[in-house]
Amino acid sequence: MRVANDTVVVFDYVLKDDQGRVIDSGNGTEAMAYIHGHDMLVPGLEKALEGRQADDHLEVAVPPSEGYGEDEEQDEVRVPRSSLPDDLDVEPGAELEGTDEEGQTETFWVVAVEGDDVIMTRTHPLAGVTLHFDVTIRKVRAATAEELEHGHPHEGPHGSHHHHHH
Ligand code: ZN
């Protein structure tokens, strides 16, 4: 079966930056799994996987415009640590979700912790970075009706720790 909309794709990958530094390689034990055509991957990688099949090996360079976007400067915000929940991990690089005035969910990344202040940004840490993916496809299969309804595959790192509360 080939990768197309509503197929579950399981793959191993290594992600490097322009300098060849490894940014991410899954967690080294479990392959990544996603449902194709549902904006679960950065657009450039999803496009490259279209039409491929199990055992294919791809090296894909994804520019920021098809990755995590351009690096926007000047959007850092400084908030007191005490305004954030106590149990939140506020290490640099941590991803936090907040809600804006209109009730929309916004994602912030912690840039730094300075004294009692936390500096956060809306800019993804990989914005402005050309992403070099080295991908090996392990499996391609049709998504089940349940997976499509839930909007995630029932295997891979997310599937295996998945709570069925629907
Ligand atoms: Zn589910």
Side-chain angles (χ1 to χ4, degrees):
M1 177 172 276
R2 290 186 180 274
V3 176
N5 286 350
D6 299 343
T7 56
V8 170
V9 184
V10 181
F11 66 92
D12 292 320
Y13 71 100
V14 178
L15 172 58
K16 295 179 181 173
D17 65 13
D18 272 329
Q19 282 73 45
R21 285 184 295 243
V22 174
I23 299 168
D24 188 11
S25 58
N27 55 20
T29 54
E30 277 184 293
M32 172 76 181
Y34 79 103
I35 305 177
H36 193 80
H38 294 256
D39 298 327
M40 292 182 186
L41 302 181
V42 294
L45 181 58
E46 189 158 25
K47 203 189 293 179
L49 287 164
E50 175 94 29
R52 300 300 191 119
Q53 57 190 333
D55 297 330
D56 278 4
H57 176 244
L58 304 72
E59 289 179 17
V60 190
V62 176
S65 60
E66 296 193 325
Y68 292 105
E70 304 297 338
D71 191 5
E72 310 282 343
E73 289 175 22
Q74 309 297 335
D75 80 333
E76 290 184 356
V77 292
R78 175 183 287 263
V79 299
R81 176 66 183 89
S82 56
S83 72
L84 300 170
D86 284 342
D87 59 353
L88 214 56
D89 174 19
V90 290
E91 295 297 304
E95 188 175 333
L96 311 178
E97 288 206 337
T99 309
D100 71 11
E101 305 81 41
E102 282 96 49
Q104 300 284 335
T105 301
E106 283 191 302
T107 304
F108 291 89
W109 285 270
V110 175
V111 177
V113 180
E114 290 179 5
D116 293 332
D117 287 348
V118 180
I119 320 284
M120 305 191 298
T121 176
R122 286 188 191 80
T123 304
H124 192 283
L126 293 177
V129 175
T130 297
L131 309 167
H132 298 267
F133 287 98
D134 191 316
V135 173
T136 303
I137 300 177
R138 295 298 173 207
K139 181 162 67 171
V140 182
R141 63 167 173 80
T144 64
E146 190 184 42
E147 286 172 325
L148 290 172
E149 188 192 327
H150 290 189
H152 50 233
H154 288 161
E155 63 178 294
H158 300 295
S160 55
H161 305 296
H162 172 61
H163 301 283
H164 281 268
H165 45 74
H166 310 273

